[in-house]
């Protein structure tokens, strides 16, 4: 009788990260996007209120980033990671408890805090484990979970809509799914071992602090990227469903975003090996501009689906490239830079959905918000192109990306 081959420790760790993304980001964060038009149809929720709920979600994420950046103990980070898994389940279930803006506001804030566990704490813990065990510090499988989480959320809402479930029942369905995802996310990421004084691991990999120019321009560019990311992430289903010719295609468009995002990290890592981290980041942001503004230019199904592919295939690449650079600059403590970068990204994510929701309520459409988002991302790409030309840290990172082994 043939025995199944157990997963290698490396793949168990990477899959733990993938399941944490499915739980904390796919369910706790992104279930809201396809459920937003459902909640607007079945409750009193307006465009502006929907935008404020999204802004509070990102405020929670920003608090999580601050906490993650302030913690230096790897064991404390692990404990907080596990707490965020539990919060993801509780905040998802909490959305179904009552028809109350303030309850929803609190739950979206907590869900945002929990999503920092998968994005920052888990990625930092996984990078730490990979470096300690002499593996290449890539997070492709881990971040594929974010794209798959978007796909999962879109398909789940489409299934529950087919079953004629109301908004509360759909949130309860997501809560049950969250419990199932909690188990591998918790069990497959080993608790970090106590560091041995003077021991091996990655001792030879010293921090390479970036220049001030690099930090200033990268923070500004990442703010711009965050502004562009959040508009489509929050409103794409509502934007599509509002078009009479596209009604019913919103969830499928969001599913396509997830499908395009799933392999994006691995794709952009390959591109970075050819043209460097900064070169890949500039290309990703340039393509994302097109993806963001397309729905403002056309209401055709082909245009919207092209937008979904371009957006889905780039936003996660931008995040992963920046986090990979953080790992390169601070091998022993990547969260040190991840937290600062995420604060810039998160600040934009608080401002953008609230402003876009109010603009949509005032004008009756999302076009102004889309053009504003596209403009911010274009500005970010210009800043990065300048940084790449003038800064030695940026040039060194590009050279390291091209020289890195494929294994």
């Amino acid at each position: 009788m043939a025995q199944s081959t157990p997963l290698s420790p490396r793949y168990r760790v990477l899959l733990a990260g993938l399941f944490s993304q499915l739980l904390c980001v796919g369910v706790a964060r992104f279930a809201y996007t396809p459920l937003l038009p459902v909640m607007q149809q079945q409750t009193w929720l307006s465009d502006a209120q929907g935008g404020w709920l999204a802004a509070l979600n990102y405020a929670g994420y920003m608090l999580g980033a601050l906490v993650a950046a302030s913690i230096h103990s790897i064991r404390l980070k692990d404990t907080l990671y596990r707490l965020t898994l539990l919060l993801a389940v509780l905040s998802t279930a909490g959305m179904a408890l009552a028809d109350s803006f303030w309850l929803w506001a609190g739950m979206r804030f907590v869900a945002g805090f929990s999503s920092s566990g998968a994005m920052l704490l888990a990625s930092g813990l996984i990078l730490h484990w990979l470096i300690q065990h002499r593996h290449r510090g890539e997070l492709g499988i881990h971040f594929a979970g974010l794209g798959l989480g978007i796909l999962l959320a879109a398909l789940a809402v489409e299934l529950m809509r087919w079953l004629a479930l109301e908004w509360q029942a759909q949130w309860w369905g997501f809560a049950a799914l969250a419990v199932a995802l909690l188990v591998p996310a918790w069990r497959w990421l080993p608790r970090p071992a106590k560091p041995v004084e003077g021991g091996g691991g990655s001792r030879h990999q010293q921090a390479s602090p970036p220049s001030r120019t690099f930090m200033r321009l990268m923070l500004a560019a990442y703010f711009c990227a965050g502004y562009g990311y959040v508009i489509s992430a929050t409103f794409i289903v509502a934007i599509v469903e509002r078009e009479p010719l596209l009604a019913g295609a919103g969830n499928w468009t969001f599913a396509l975003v997830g499908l395009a995002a799933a392999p994006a990290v691995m794709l952009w890592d390959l591109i970075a090996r050819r043209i460097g981290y900064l070169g890949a980041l500039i290309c990703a942001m340039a393509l994302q501009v097109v993806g963001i503004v397309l729905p403002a230019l056309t209401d055709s199904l082909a245009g919207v689906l092209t937008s979904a592919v371009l957006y889905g295939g780039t936003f996660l690449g931008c995040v992963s490239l920046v986090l990979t650079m953080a790992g390169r600059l601070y091998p022993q403590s990547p969260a040190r830079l991840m937290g600062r970068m995420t604060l810039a990204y998160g600040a934009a994510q608080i401002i953008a959905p609230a402003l876009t929701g109010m603009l949509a309520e005032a004008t009756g459409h999302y076009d102004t918000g889309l053009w504003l988002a596209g403009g911010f991302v274009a500005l970010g790409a210009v800043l990065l192109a300048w940084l790449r030309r003038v800064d030695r840290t940026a040039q060194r990172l590009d050279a390291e990306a091209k020289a890195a082994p494929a294994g």
Side-chain angles (χ1 to χ4, degrees):
M1 183 176 174
Q3 289 187 330
S4 60
T5 305
L7 285 172
S8 71
R10 175 173 173 266
Y11 278 106
R12 283 173 68 92
V13 168
L14 289 170
L15 286 172
L18 183 146
F19 280 107
S20 76
Q21 292 277 15
L22 289 174
L23 168 59
C24 296
V25 184
V27 171
R29 159 64 188 99
F30 278 119
Y32 178 74
T33 300
L35 277 175
L36 175 58
V38 178
M39 293 172 72
Q40 287 182 316
Q41 289 164 12
Q42 297 180 7
T43 72
W44 38 261
L45 193 66
S46 68
D47 287 338
Q49 288 166 330
W52 280 112
L53 290 179
L56 285 165
N57 181 261
Y58 291 111
Y61 182 79
M62 200 165 172
L63 176 63
L66 277 169
V67 173
S70 67
I71 294 174
H72 301 293
S73 164
I74 191 73
R75 290 204 151 194
L76 189 54
K77 288 176 184 175
D78 178 78
T79 300
L80 184 60
Y81 160 74
R82 296 171 196 280
L83 174 63
T84 62
L85 298 180
L86 297 174
L87 291 176
V89 176
L90 294 174
S91 61
T92 303
M95 290 295 291
L97 291 177
D99 180 355
S100 161
F101 177 81
W102 294 110
L103 171 69
W104 292 344
M107 291 302 101
R108 296 317 296 154
F109 184 86
V110 172
F113 185 90
S114 78
S115 64
S116 71
M119 290 297 293
L120 290 175
L121 294 166
S123 57
L125 290 165
I126 290 166
L127 271 177
H128 178 83
W129 189 94
L130 291 171
I131 291 169
Q132 287 289 326
H133 291 80
R134 301 180 184 275
H135 296 294
R136 181 176 168 86
E138 289 182 351
L139 294 167
I141 292 176
H142 171 66
F143 282 112
L146 196 154
L148 294 174
I150 292 174
L151 178 64
L152 179 67
L155 295 179
V157 169
E158 191 64 26
L159 172 63
M160 290 187 285
R161 192 173 75 167
W162 180 75
L163 294 171
L165 299 182
E166 293 191 348
W167 68 269
Q168 279 181 300
Q170 294 199 38
W171 278 112
W172 284 122
F174 274 116
L177 179 59
V179 172
L181 295 169
L182 171 70
V183 178
W186 184 291
R187 295 188 62 187
W188 288 0
L189 185 62
R191 291 187 180 274
K194 285 184 179 178
V196 179
E197 197 68 34
S202 58
R203 182 179 53 171
H204 61 287
Q205 299 190 38
Q206 299 298 321
S208 305
S211 67
R212 288 185 178 181
T213 300
F214 180 90
M215 283 306 304
R216 287 170 182 166
L217 289 179
M218 182 61 74
L219 286 168
Y222 207 43
F223 175 92
C224 293
Y227 195 106
Y229 151 74
V230 71
I231 301 307
S232 295
T234 303
F235 298 111
I236 190 167
V237 177
I239 290 169
V240 173
E241 290 294 335
R242 195 158 292 191
E243 293 293 338
L245 297 176
L246 300 176
N251 288 334
W252 296 110
T253 304
F254 196 51
L256 188 58
V257 170
L259 203 59
V265 171
M266 289 168 272
L267 171 65
W268 286 106
D269 182 70
L270 290 172
I271 294 171
R273 291 180 200 171
R274 294 293 187 101
I275 61 175
Y277 293 124
L278 272 294
L281 194 52
I282 292 164
C283 288
M285 290 176 73
L287 287 172
Q288 191 178 116
V289 172
V290 180
I292 290 170
V293 302
L294 260 179
L297 292 170
T298 176
D299 59 358
S300 71
L301 183 59
V304 167
L305 296 181
T306 302
S307 168
V309 171
L310 289 174
Y311 170 73
T314 55
F315 81 86
L316 191 51
C318 294
V319 174
S320 69
L321 288 166
V322 169
L323 296 187
T324 302
M325 284 190 276
R328 289 277 178 189
L329 293 168
Y330 294 99
Q332 296 289 346
S333 182
R336 181 176 175 180
L337 181 55
M338 284 180 190
R340 293 178 68 185
M341 297 304 297
T342 303
L343 290 179
Y345 202 70
Q349 293 174 34
I350 295 172
I351 298 165
L355 177 59
T356 303
M358 289 187 289
L359 286 171
E361 191 156 302
T363 62
H365 57 73
Y366 288 95
D367 290 1
T368 307
L370 290 172
W371 281 109
L372 193 57
F376 267 104
V377 178
L379 174 61
V382 171
L383 291 174
L384 289 175
W386 184 31
L387 175 64
R388 197 182 186 210
R389 286 179 62 87
V390 303
D391 185 70
R392 288 185 179 181
T393 300
Q395 292 159 6
R396 172 168 56 83
L397 284 168
D398 273 358
E400 286 179 5
K402 297 173 190 177

